[in-house]
Amino acid sequence: MRILVISDIHGNLPALEAVLEDATPFDALWCLGDAVGYGPDPAAVMARLTELVPEVWLAGNHDHAAVGLLDLDAFNADARQAVLWTARQLGEDARERLCALEPSALLVDRGITLVHGSPSHPLWEYITSASSATHGFACVGTPLCFFGHTHVPAVYQEEVDGAVRLTIDAEQPMSPDNARWLVNPGSVGQPRDGDPRASYAVFDPEAAVLTFHRVAYDIAAVQSRMLAAHLPSRLATRLDSGM
Ligand code: ZN
């Protein structure tokens, strides 16, 4: 079984399409939030995701901000400007869908938690280090937890003795028998690990293996549409560096 795990699309339709083409065929789709915000295609990304019927579709902080469920004071100036622009692009259907999304999900029978940010603060908190992952493990009740929000692919492994270490192998065996796992597939629409290509992961629960993937898309075309829409130029230029 192939489960496509994506996060932080951020209104970047060409990046999403490149991922879908590269990952097909897959049996299920899990989206860990921030479908919109930053990029030029929020309405089109919402329509495309809706058509794909994700098995799991979480809310991110930008998603909730775009529909007025989160205070914009917590966003920096560029992000705030992009959220306000995004809000104006969304139709009633997309708004209703975003309002209904939750920032976490629990698949009890499969022993899997999914959050946008972290297990303790699913909408906002960042897991960026072994110490923040240790706190995350303390707040999660399943052997496996997927998260997004940082835009950096990562696997944190908690050994039976409680030690937590960061790994990022392209192919990651994840047996739930001798460890617990916190996994981030990276960002589709705005990677921040220095690799500008769209990032995603494929999870095979039967084999207990996760693979990480990167795929190129037409960044220049997305940038020119962002500038034409008068989105902050820094949000466009950062797509080149993947930072
Ligand atoms: Zn994000």
Side-chain angles (χ1 to χ4, degrees), residues 102-119:
E102 299 285 341
S104 66
L106 178 61
L107 307 177
V108 182
D109 51 329
R110 288 187 264 178
I112 296 172
T113 303
L114 304 107
V115 297
H116 179 63
S118 80

Side-chain angles (χ1 to χ4, degrees), residues 47-128:
R48 188 71 168 107
L49 280 178
T50 301
E51 164 191 307
L52 289 163
V53 193
E55 183 185 16
V56 174
W57 185 355
L58 303 182
N61 50 317
H62 288 255
D63 298 325
H64 272 182
V67 291
L69 293 175
L70 258 192
D71 196 335
L72 289 180
D73 289 349
F75 288 79
N76 68 43
D78 285 349
R80 193 159 53 234
Q81 192 183 330
V83 163
L84 292 170
W85 181 88
T86 297
R88 294 196 296 273
Q89 315 305 313
L90 297 173
E92 200 46 47
D93 280 2
R95 267 200 298 275
E96 275 177 19
R97 196 164 292 278
L98 289 174
C99 284
L101 297 178
E102 299 285 341
S104 66
L106 178 61
L107 307 177
V108 182
D109 51 329
R110 288 187 264 178
I112 296 172
T113 303
L114 304 107
V115 297
H116 179 63
S118 80
S120 52
H121 294 285
L123 206 54
W124 265 113
E125 194 170 71
Y126 292 90
I127 295 178
T128 55

Side-chain angles (χ1 to χ4, degrees), residues 138-200:
C139 299
V140 76
T142 55
L144 179 55
C145 177
F146 288 88
F147 69 102
H149 193 41
T150 67
H151 299 207
V152 175
V155 174
Y156 291 96
Q157 178 181 7
E158 184 198 53
E159 314 272 6
V160 277
D161 64 0
V164 172
R165 66 188 184 95
L166 171 65
T167 59
I168 175 73
D169 293 329
E171 186 171 322
Q172 179 71 52
M174 294 199 309
S175 164
D177 300 333
N178 52 9
R180 296 200 298 160
W181 307 88
L182 271 167
V183 176
N184 189 325
S187 168
V188 171
Q190 195 203 80
R192 294 180 190 162
D193 63 341
D195 181 343
R197 296 174 300 165
S199 181
Y200 69 96

